[in-house]
Amino acid sequence: MISQNRKKLGDLGENLAQSFLLSKGYMILDKNFRCRFENIYGEIDIIAKDQNFICFVEVKTRFGNIHSNPSESVTQKKQRKISNVAQLYLLKKKLTRFNARFDVVELIFNIETSGYSIRLIKDAFYCNL
């Protein structure tokens, strides 16, 4: 039950993040891109174009009172995984001529107000592509 609720929260966060990115002028190329190729596996929540950048966006959603920023959960291991999947995406879609960037969208739902805050972190981390 907890994992089902976590999935619903994650899906809601990704939908809100997508709307937010569209309002910022991003063009959504893909959502929930999954890869399983040899030893490279993983998922990228949102892939979008922002001017001359292909942006690989990790969405982190939290509920309630938290003591750290959701983006802090994007560890170096997770960054490497995203980077590897991003490389395959660029090759597969023939988009290697574009610059790539890794962004994070943080969403925090407030229990008391039933609202949420959202923050876009451009260039949240760097990986060689």
Side-chain angles (χ1 to χ4, degrees), residues 15-52:
N15 290 333
L16 291 170
Q18 179 176 325
S19 296
F20 180 74
L21 292 171
L22 287 168
S23 77
K24 296 289 185 190
Y26 284 60
M27 181 175 70
I28 306 301
L29 302 176
D30 246 315
K31 192 170 174 191
N32 300 117
F33 177 79
R34 289 178 180 87
C35 174
R36 288 197 183 278
F37 179 76
E38 294 181 6
N39 63 341
I40 298 172
Y41 62 94
E43 178 181 327
I44 298 176
D45 296 328
I46 298 172
I47 302 170
K49 189 168 184 287
D50 179 33
Q51 298 176 17
N52 289 331

Side-chain angles (χ1 to χ4, degrees), residues 84-96:
N84 289 337
V85 175
Q87 286 177 343
L88 285 175
Y89 182 87
L90 291 171
L91 288 171
K92 180 179 178 180
K93 300 291 185 173
K94 297 180 174 68
L95 296 172
T96 54

Side-chain angles (χ1 to χ4, degrees), residues 1-9:
M1 179 155 166
I2 291 174
S3 65
Q4 185 179 24
N5 288 338
R6 187 179 299 184
K7 169 101 173 83
K8 285 181 182 178
L9 181 63

Side-chain angles (χ1 to χ4, degrees), residues 47-91:
I47 302 170
K49 189 168 184 287
D50 179 33
Q51 298 176 17
N52 289 331
F53 286 91
I54 302 297
C55 303
F56 298 94
V57 183
E58 179 70 8
V59 179
K60 289 297 178 188
T61 307
R62 298 292 182 264
F63 193 70
N65 190 11
I66 59 170
H67 301 289
S68 64
N69 292 327
S71 62
E72 292 175 19
S73 66
V74 184
T75 62
Q76 285 186 336
K77 181 179 178 181
K78 179 72 172 175
Q79 292 172 16
R80 281 192 303 274
K81 190 177 279 195
I82 292 169
S83 175
N84 289 337
V85 175
Q87 286 177 343
L88 285 175
Y89 182 87
L90 291 171
L91 288 171

Side-chain angles (χ1 to χ4, degrees), residues 106-120:
E106 293 182 328
L107 283 112
I108 302 172
F109 286 94
N110 186 319
I111 299 169
E112 296 166 4
T113 65
S114 299
Y116 65 91
S117 63
I118 188 166
R119 179 171 76 130
L120 169 63

